[in-house]
Amino acid sequence: MKRKMVLLLTGMLAVVTLYGCGGGSGGGSGSNGESSEQTETESASNTGGGVTLTLYCNADDMAKPYMQKIISLWEEESGNKIDQQGLDTDNAETIALTKFTTGDIPDLYVHFGNSNLKNFNPEENFVDWTDAEWVSDIQDSVLPQATYNDKIIGLPFWEASNSGCFYNKKIFDELGISQPKTQEEFDKVCAKLLENDIQPIYLAAADSWPILYQFALDPVLEEHPEYIEQLNAGELTYAEIPEFTSMCEWFLSAAEKGYFGKNFASDTWDYCSEVLGTGEAAMLFCWDTWFDTDYDSESYEYAGEDFGIMPVFMGTCEEGTYEGGNVNLMMANKNGDHVEEAKDFINFMSVPENYNQAFDGISTAAVFKGQTTNVNSTQYEENKDSVDQLIRASSAQPKIVGYNQGEGGKALLQLMSGDITVEECIKLIDDDRIATLKSFEQE
């Protein structure tokens, strides 16, 4: 499931620097993060006692059934144990950062692969998996999130999804509407729905994050990966990216034409099921697993299976786009006492037989190419060729330092409401990004 995630930064993050931070266990390390304490480890294993690895993870994330399953499988096979330290869900990243800053670094750490990862100094603290055999088994739409400075620093092991524009197939069929293939065709679809007194798109703009403007940026960043580096280096602004302006212009035009209805400024996410289920609106920007986990198929005329998936069109990509999942990474402390055991656990997680046991029956898109036991959404299965052809890795949210789904959405809401101009909207989003970027600067 997509995270409704706003970049988590506190005043502490703005001043903390972790470069040169050592391992929390105090153990020495050789080349490639290999432990110098192997004799002690082998002795413990020979006596049947095994070792205990510490794992820091958001408590809610730790409780996921596939996480508990993979941990249980490894403990049973290896004879080792994992001390699961679930961190308070609302403050997990801040708590973890405090521990890392004081040298309290666990053997294993789970982090949502976004730009905040920089605070944890991945190159100094985590094992480099670039040459691991399992790298080739990660879906292309997921692998970029495991990459930091061109190195693979963790195993993506999480729920995933296929995000796109979900549409009411029955309404489209009744009105003779075909799935659009271009931005122009999509806009014509919206116009035809309006002609028939149907709101084209439900946009829960009052909550700001559901505006999901990263969908417009992902294809741009795929075509111009240098934008990410330039933005993060302070060498480029959003105003200098033509497609960013095009995106803002499309949102403004769509709002003025009525694509989002009359009440988008007060519409909230809580009413998605009702508005879609009654047919008041025909489309929604969302992720496919939402229809399995959140959509109320029992209460309304239209059930989840009545919706299909098609590309998102937001003014930046002629053929449209889908976005791949945002995922957690399992990372190993390369400076700890139990590096080999931590690496063994992650390698164990990457084995098809093992991850297929863990994800058996879970409603999720596949993170691994060899993943077969997960349950794909009906929407994906019905339009698989289109999704596979046009899906892009989530890039804006995890890669742009200072990207803020909530604050950016607020600025776009002001634009769509007529309170600010396109130029003022871009400046608001950029100023927020730059303020965060400056907070990352090392003193």
Side-chain angles (χ1 to χ4, degrees), residues 260-303:
F260 308 131
K262 297 178 180 179
N263 302 312
F264 65 86
S266 59
D267 285 340
T268 64
W269 187 256
D270 292 340
Y271 288 94
C272 285
S273 283
E274 179 178 334
V275 175
L276 291 183
T278 59
E280 178 182 338
M283 294 184 286
L284 174 74
F285 302 135
C286 192
W287 53 97
D288 58 355
T289 53
W290 180 80
F291 283 90
D292 291 322
T293 60
D294 292 77
Y295 182 73
D296 184 357
S297 288
E298 303 298 324
S299 302
Y300 303 106
E301 178 182 354
Y302 298 105

Side-chain angles (χ1 to χ4, degrees), residues 5 16 29 68-69 91 101 110 165 182 195 210 227 245 248 257 265-266 272 296 311 332 342 346 356 374 409:
M5 187 174 178
V16 171
S29 63
Q68 291 303 307
K69 182 64 173 180
N91 302 290
T101 305
V110 175
C165 180
T182 66
E195 291 172 4
Y227 286 174
T245 297
C248 292
K257 291 176 180 177
S266 59
C272 285
D296 184 357
I346 291 178
N356 274 312
N374 58 294

